[in-house]
Amino acid sequence: MSNVKACIFDLDGVIVDTAKYHYLAWKRLANEMGFDLTEEQNEQLKGISRMASLDILLGIGNQVFDKKEKVELADRKNTWYRECIIKMKPDEIFPGVIDFLNQVKAAGMKSAIGSASKNAMTILEQLGIVDYFDSIIDGNKAQKAKPNPEVFLKASIELAVAPEHCVVFEDAQAGVEAAKNGGMFCVGVGSPEILGQANMVVAGLHEMKIEMLDF
Ligand code: BG6
Ligand code: MG
C-alpha cells in the first residue's frame, strides 16, 4: 500500500490553464506602463500572491508607486483577469485531471487545492469541480506567499494527513519550493528545465497514474 494518503493540487497551471490569463493581464498592465513582460520573466510571477507578483512586475519595469497606487494597479489587473475566468467552461480543465482525481479517490486518498489565488473558488465553481476536493485552501485562507509552505501545511491540517504522507502537484518554481519547505513530496507539472527541483516531473496530469505514487 502506498505511503501517500493525500494529493494537494495547485490550481492555476495544474488543473486549468489560468496561468495564461494571469500572464495576459499582467502583460497588459506592463504595456500600459510602457514596458513589456516576456514569458520567461512571467515565470517569476507564477505561484505567488497578487501583490508579490505586482512588486516583481514593477521591479522588471523599474516603476515606483505608493501603496494606494499599487492596490489600484492590482485591482485593475484583477478586473481584466476576472473578465476571462468568469467565461471559463469545464472543457478548459486540463486533459487527464478528472481521471486522475477519480483515481486518487478510488485509491482511498484525500484531495485538496493549495492555491495562492483569491479567485480559486470562482474558478472551481465555473469548472464545476468544487466537490472533488476534501479541502480547499486559497489566497483568502493563507496569507504567506509560496515558497512559504503555509498553504500546503494548512491543507495537510484540514485533511488530517501529515506532510510526509502528502504529495503536492505544482507548475511554479515557488510552489515546488513551498512543497519541499513543507516536507512534502513534489510532482512538478510542466517542463523539467523549469521544475528541476521537484522530486518527479510530468508534462501534465494526463501522464499521471496512481501507481506512480506507490512509494
Ligand atoms: C497563483 C498564480 O495561483 O495565484 C499567480 O500562480 C497569482 O500567478 C496568484 O498571482 C494570485 O492569484 P489571484 O487570483 O488572487 O490574483
Ligand atoms: Mg500554479
Side-chain angles (χ1 to χ4, degrees):
M1 197 176 140
S2 173
N3 197 31
V4 178
K5 299 191 179 0
C7 292
I8 306 176
F9 300 89
D10 172 52
L11 175 64
D12 297 320
V14 170
I15 301 286
V16 71
D17 194 10
T18 36
K20 72 176 178 227
Y21 299 135
H22 278 297
Y23 173 54
L24 290 174
W26 285 127
K27 191 178 169 75
R28 181 169 170 186
L29 191 66
N31 291 167
E32 279 200 355
M33 290 187 278
F35 63 98
D36 199 20
L37 175 72
T38 66
E39 284 198 46
E40 195 185 347
Q41 289 165 332
N42 184 57
E43 285 301 319
Q44 302 169 55
L45 274 54
K46 286 187 180 174
I48 59 173
S49 71
R50 195 179 308 161
M51 293 314 283
S53 298
L54 178 65
D55 281 336
I56 293 177
L57 184 81
L58 295 177
I60 290 169
N62 289 315
Q63 306 281 321
V64 180
F65 290 99
D66 66 25
K67 208 170 164 207
K68 194 165 157 269
E69 290 166 324
K70 286 208 259 185
V71 169
E72 193 275 322
L73 289 170
D75 283 351
R76 205 181 322 159
K77 179 265 175 182
N78 194 48
T79 302
W80 294 328
Y81 177 66
R82 286 190 62 87
E83 281 170 10
C84 298
I85 60 171
I86 57 168
K87 289 189 218 132
M88 291 181 81
K89 299 259 163 13
D91 66 4
E92 287 186 59
I93 299 170
F94 277 135
V97 169
I98 299 295
D99 182 44
F100 186 63
L101 288 171
N102 284 329
Q103 290 183 51
V104 169
K105 196 171 184 144
M109 296 175 190
K110 299 232 168 108
S111 290
I113 288 287
S115 167
S117 173
K118 293 187 167 153
N119 292 300
M121 275 316 279
T122 304
I123 296 165
L124 294 169
E125 279 166 6
Q126 202 60 32
L127 301 176
I129 55 172
V130 175
D131 292 343
Y132 276 92
F133 303 99
D134 302 294
S135 165
I136 295 170
I137 306 294
D138 64 10
N140 301 299
K141 286 195 183 170
Q143 274 70 46
K144 297 180 192 133
K146 300 171 187 176
N148 188 293
E150 183 190 22
V151 65
F152 298 135
L153 292 177
K154 284 202 165 171
S156 139
I157 291 168
E158 270 201 10
L159 295 174
V161 175
E164 61 266 35
H165 298 299
C166 294
V167 171
V168 168
F169 294 81
E170 255 297 345
D171 72 313
Q173 287 166 348
V176 172
E177 265 184 73
K180 300 194 89 181
N181 288 338
M184 298 178 185
F185 187 94
C186 186
V187 178
V189 181
S191 110
E193 287 85 66
I194 293 171
L195 305 171
Q197 298 303 311
N199 302 91
M200 185 196 286
V201 180
V202 293
L205 290 185
H206 61 284
E207 286 188 357
M208 277 305 298
K209 295 260 169 298
I210 203 72
E211 295 75 32
M212 290 159 75
L213 302 182
D214 219 353
F215 44 78

